[in-house]
Amino acid sequence: MGLPTPLTDPAAIVAADASTVINLNATGCAREVIQAIPNKVVVLDAVASELHEGRRRGRRDADLLGELVAARVVEVVELDDSSWIHFEKLVVGAAALTLDDGEAATIAYAYSQHALAIIDERKAARLCAEMYPSLRVGSTVDILAHPSVQQRLGKEMLADAVFNALQNGRMRVFPQNVEWVISLIGRERAAGCASLPNSIRKAGRSETRTGRRSAV
C-alpha cells in the first residue's frame, strides 16, 4: 500500500486547511489518524472560523475540531507578523489569483514557518506551485497514506476511513493519488464516490455490472 508522501520530516509542523479537517472528521477516526503521524498538526484561526460558519448548514466540523483541540491532538494558531504579507498576497487581487481566507492563512503560515501545508483544492495547489515553489504541500490522502497511519489502522479500517472521507467529506484526490485510493477501496465502492474522476466512477460501474452478469 505504498504511496510517496511529502510527510517525510517528522519534525515539520503540519498546517491543515478546512477541507482537510472536514475530510479527516468524515473518516470517523480523525483522532486516531492524527495521533498516528509524528508531526504536530495545527489549524489556523481563519480555518476554525470557516468551520464555525458551517454550523448554519448543520455541519458539526467545528464541534469535532473543538474536541480534537480539547484533546490536544490539534492546536489552533494565528498568523504572526511575518505571515501577514503572504496572506494579503493570497486574498487581494483577481479571483483567479486569490483564495479564501482559510486556504490563504494555511499557506501563509506554512510558508513563513517552514511547515507543510495540507490542502485539497487544485487552485490552491496551483497557486502554491506558482508563488511559493519551495513550500512543501500535501493533501488529506497523503496523511491517510502515511506509513504510521496504515500501520495503526490496518488495511480494512484504513479502506473504510478513506471511503468515508470520499463519501461523507467529498474528499478531492489529486491525479497522482487516484490509483492508490482505488487499489485500497476497490472499484465498486469508488463508483459511488462523486468526488473521484468521472472516468474512474464509470469504470467501477461497468466492472460491477460485468461481475453481476458473470455471477448469474
Side-chain angles (χ1 to χ4, degrees):
M1 292 195 295
L3 179 72
T5 173
L7 280 77
T8 55
D9 180 4
I13 295 173
V14 168
D17 184 36
S19 60
T20 303
V21 176
I22 291 169
N23 293 333
L24 291 176
N25 284 337
T27 65
C29 53
R31 183 168 178 173
E32 291 85 346
V33 170
I34 296 171
Q35 287 180 324
I37 64 174
N39 307 77
K40 176 181 178 179
V41 176
V42 303
V43 168
L44 273 296
D45 57 348
V47 170
S49 295
E50 281 187 10
L51 296 175
H52 180 76
E53 289 298 315
R55 285 194 174 112
R56 297 179 181 178
R57 301 188 297 275
R59 297 197 62 94
R60 294 191 59 244
D61 291 291
D63 298 327
L64 294 172
L65 174 62
E67 293 174 10
L68 294 172
V69 172
R72 299 188 177 182
V73 177
V74 173
E75 180 181 346
V76 175
V77 296
E78 300 177 357
L79 295 176
D80 61 14
D81 292 341
S82 65
S83 305
W84 273 104
I85 186 171
H86 303 294
F87 175 77
E88 290 172 355
K89 281 175 61 177
L90 290 163
V91 297
V92 178
L97 299 174
T98 56
L99 301 170
D100 63 40
D101 286 0
E103 288 175 325
T106 299
I107 293 166
Y109 176 90
Y111 184 74
S112 66
Q113 300 297 321
H114 306 288
L116 176 68
I118 302 295
I119 52 179
D120 291 299
E121 301 299 327
R122 292 190 180 187
K123 179 183 175 182
R126 174 179 61 80
L127 289 179
C128 282
E130 293 174 357
M131 300 173 66
Y132 303 104
S134 64
L135 176 63
R136 290 172 292 178
V137 177
S139 67
T140 307
V141 171
D142 291 313
I143 292 179
L144 294 170
H146 192 286
S148 297
V149 175
Q150 296 188 50
Q151 182 177 10
R152 177 157 183 169
L153 298 188
K155 184 175 182 179
E156 185 175 343
M157 186 175 177
L158 178 61
D160 288 342
V162 171
F163 179 67
N164 289 340
L166 290 164
Q167 280 281 78
N168 303 326
R170 293 185 174 269
M171 179 174 69
R172 301 290 181 88
V173 180
F174 289 114
Q176 67 269 24
N177 296 337
V178 168
E179 281 306 314
W180 181 84
V181 169
I182 302 305
S183 66
L184 180 66
I185 69 172
R187 293 193 179 275
E188 184 173 350
R189 286 206 286 183
C193 298
S195 61
L196 288 175
N198 190 46
S199 59
I200 296 295
R201 290 184 282 126
K202 282 185 176 179
R205 289 193 292 268
S206 177
E207 188 174 291
T208 300
R209 287 194 296 268
T210 301
R212 287 172 180 170
R213 285 197 297 268
S214 299
V216 175

